[in-house]
Amino acid sequence: MNMMFNLVVVVQVISALSIIALVLLQHGKGADMGAAFGSGASGSLFGATGSSNFMSKSTGVAAAIFFGATLALSLMANQRATTVGGGVMDKVVKPVPVTGAGAIPTTVPAAPAASAPAAVAPVASTPAGAIPK
């Protein structure tokens, strides 16, 4: 199935590139200089265009192949068995709150060691009013 999917993608890309090339190579019917200034060539602007040439027929065929490949890709994408994963937060486990007697801590944290002297904040030698501002 994967090889078929890749083949359809390649066909779609080739048909898209061919559509681009064929459209750019075609000569538009309003591209004449006479059509811009209203001379006799612009009279056929809304008239019958005549038979279509090879390039316009090729563009139609390439467009049909492109639409068919797009339809085939959409059908293949719907038939693929993919596991839809949730977000990152779906895997987070919320801790359960403890209620009752289990919520009360039974051990008291140890006091800091008495051998280490406590850090004493430096005392200012001048009164607070004497500090220059």
Side-chain angles (χ1 to χ4, degrees):
M1 185 71 174
N2 194 20
M3 189 173 80
M4 184 69 167
F5 186 80
N6 291 338
L7 179 68
V8 174
V9 168
V10 168
V11 167
Q12 186 180 28
V13 169
I14 290 173
S15 65
L17 292 175
S18 66
I19 289 172
I20 292 169
L22 288 169
V23 166
L24 290 176
L25 288 175
Q26 287 182 22
H27 185 70
K29 66 178 176 179
D32 294 330
M33 283 299 285
F37 297 109
S39 68
S42 65
S44 64
L45 181 63
F46 297 108
T49 58
S51 62
S52 59
N53 59 4
F54 173 73
M55 292 183 83
S56 62
K57 287 181 183 178
S58 318
T59 306
V61 169
I65 292 172
F66 180 79
F67 290 138
T70 304
L71 181 64
L73 283 175
S74 66
L75 291 175
M76 284 183 204
N78 284 335
Q79 292 177 356
R80 280 191 171 188
T82 58
T83 57
V84 178
V88 175
M89 295 303 291
D90 289 343
K91 297 178 182 173
V92 175
V93 178
K94 183 179 178 183
V96 178
V98 180
T99 58
I104 302 171
T106 56
T107 59
V108 178
S115 63
V120 178
V123 179
S125 61
T126 60
I131 299 175
K133 294 183 183 180

